[in-house]
Amino acid sequence: MTEFAARVEQVSISGIREVFEAAGEDAINLGLGQPDFPTPAHARRGAIEAIEAGRTDAYTSNKGTRSLREAIATKYDREYGIDVDPADVVATSGGSEALHLALEAHVDPGEEVIFPDPGFVSYDALTNIAGGTPKPVGLRDDLTLDPATVEDAITDETAAFVVNSPANPTGAVQSEADMREFARIADEHDVLCLSDEVYERIVFEGEHHSPLKFAETDNVVVVSACSKTYSMTGWRLGWVVGSERRIERMLRVHQYAQACASAPAQYAAEAALTGPQEPVEEMVAAFEERRDLVVDGLEDAGLEVPTPSGAFYVMPKVPEGWCEEVLERDVVVVPGDAFGANGEGYARLSYATSTEALKEALEIIDDATRAVR
């Protein structure tokens, strides 16, 4: 009798999804990890024009269209002064596939992958699917990842470590000094630094820095996407950037698992990257206003809240029973332990929803907090 693969048996349905399914139809959803803004009009037009011109009916190159990869390479030069060859880019089905490619191409069975805890749920699951050994590490009090903690965790069995900035679920942004250290660690220990930069443009204080800029070897691979920056989660368009030899290995996985990213989505992404950036700036400004509203409201409720510097999440410390009490009052929040053992005692709230809904939710949260104290 055919049994299930052990690596899949180690993976469970996301705790985030379980919370959604338990919520009522009229609940205020502070669990959703996607912007509530429309995809920019020029990105939509890019797809429509390509469809009407008949350019989306066939497979593209496995790596993606040349013009999209050139737009991605230009972005890295324009925003970060990083020289990327368009040949060293693979367009993927969202950032999720990009993470999958990177881990499948670099992790052998039993090898360790170090990642932040609390951290994005995919890191643990995709490590298991690759046959690797998850090795979560804790965060600083401000919820950033300490390079020293990563370096201390590296062993002869370590294949990779993951850096995520701005971070999901914490909203924390790593400093330039941290990113330089992560690059150094990758170089000196000859391990892969997988930098998840999907939220790279959503920064309120400071700037986003990539370890790709500081590495002296090719031991940094970067994952990003249009999903959060351009409110294009449903378009499923991401990418991975790395050296020629690393891209070639990741392409071996991609060409059999996916063949190529969706052609209409590729043209929409190209338009998003090369067109006006004002919609991004307006969205980020709105998120910052909402961040301030939510942090103030949670603090007024008596909760301890590390102030996030990016993304659109906040992760307060909460008393026992808090998440259940809030959920019972039809406000969807995600218990912190859905993101790792160190997330216990926290909750993740997304403020990617309207100001009106946030104000209503904060009133309910204030009542719920008093009820459990």
Side-chain angles (χ1 to χ4, degrees):
M1 179 177 176
T2 302
E3 298 295 336
F4 297 109
R7 64 185 182 278
V8 175
E9 290 294 271
Q10 296 178 72
V11 177
S12 59
I13 299 299
S14 166
I16 302 172
R17 182 57 52 192
E18 291 178 355
V19 169
F20 288 166
E21 293 177 354
E25 291 183 4
D26 297 326
I28 301 173
N29 194 338
L30 304 187
L32 202 58
Q34 67 176 4
D36 60 323
F37 296 88
T39 299
H42 61 277
R44 295 181 180 184
R45 284 196 303 272
I48 292 168
E49 290 171 3
I51 291 169
E52 291 179 339
R55 299 199 302 274
T56 63
D57 297 342
Y59 294 120
T60 71
S61 161
N62 289 137
K63 288 184 177 179
T65 65
R66 175 75 187 187
S67 56
L68 171 58
R69 289 182 286 116
E70 287 176 344
I72 292 169
T74 298
K75 158 199 157 51
Y76 282 94
D77 181 46
R78 178 182 68 240
E79 296 177 6
Y80 309 121
I82 300 174
D83 184 20
V84 172
D85 188 330
D88 295 337
V89 179
V90 176
T92 61
S93 182
S96 298
E97 193 213 352
L99 287 170
H100 179 59
L101 299 184
L103 292 172
E104 287 292 330
H106 292 94
V107 180
D108 271 329
E111 288 188 325
E112 299 168 345
V113 177
I114 299 166
F115 53 82
D117 177 4
F120 183 42
V121 294
S122 289
Y123 305 146
D124 184 281
L126 292 176
T127 297
N128 279 311
I129 290 171
T133 300
K135 195 170 186 179
V137 296
L139 306 178
R140 296 169 171 139
D141 289 342
D142 65 356
L143 302 183
T144 58
L145 180 63
D146 189 341
T149 301
V150 172
E151 191 163 24
D152 288 344
I154 291 174
T155 71
D156 291 341
E157 303 304 316
T158 303
F161 65 90
V162 179
V163 177
N164 177 210
S165 179
N168 176 10
T170 66
V173 175
Q174 301 288 153
S175 68
E176 179 179 351
D178 284 348
M179 290 305 203
R180 287 183 181 275
E181 276 294 283
F182 290 131
R184 179 195 62 77
I185 291 166
D187 290 339
E188 292 186 6
H189 292 269
D190 196 24
V191 297
L192 184 73
C193 172
L194 176 53
S195 186
D196 179 352
E197 304 179 12
V198 167
Y199 294 88
E200 60 184 304
R201 294 285 299 277
I202 307 176
V203 178
F204 313 130
E205 282 89 36
E207 298 178 4
H208 169 69
H209 298 278
S210 174
L212 185 64
K213 184 173 183 177
F214 308 119
E216 297 180 1
T217 67
D218 73 343
N219 286 344
V220 175
V221 164
V222 171
V223 165
S224 195
C226 287
S227 300
K228 314 299 182 177
T229 297
Y230 297 101
S231 194
M232 293 175 64
T233 53
W235 293 83
R236 308 313 303 133
L237 198 291
W239 59 83
V240 59
V241 174
S243 68
E244 180 181 4
R245 69 185 183 119
R246 296 192 186 281
I247 287 294
E248 196 275 337
R249 268 67 172 191
M250 289 185 277
L251 190 63
R252 296 181 194 183
V253 181
H254 174 69
Q255 68 179 350
Y256 294 114
Q258 187 68 23
C260 64
S262 160
Q266 289 189 55
Y267 286 103
E270 179 186 343
L273 290 163
T274 59
Q277 300 300 297
E278 286 81 3
V280 178
E281 295 165 4
E282 292 168 2
M283 185 172 66
V284 172
F287 283 145
E288 184 172 7
E289 290 181 2
R290 295 176 187 177
R291 187 269 315 254
D292 294 342
L293 172 69
V294 170
V295 169
D296 287 346
L298 294 174
E299 288 180 341
D300 288 346
L303 299 175
E304 183 180 340
V305 191
T307 300
S309 296
F312 38 71
Y313 307 109
V314 62
M315 206 165 189
K317 289 185 177 180
V318 298
E320 185 176 353
W322 186 89
C323 291
E324 293 80 1
E325 186 72 27
V326 171
L327 286 165
E328 286 180 4
R329 295 167 186 253
D330 279 339
V331 174
V332 178
V333 297
V334 183
D337 58 8
F339 304 97
N342 291 330
E344 186 173 358
Y346 290 85
R348 189 195 77 170
L349 286 67
S350 166
Y351 43 90
T353 191
S354 70
T355 299
E356 292 74 18
L358 290 172
K359 289 179 178 178
E360 183 179 353
L362 287 168
E363 291 180 3
I364 295 171
I365 285 171
D366 186 59
D367 290 339
T369 303
R370 284 200 299 270
V372 297
R373 288 200 175 225

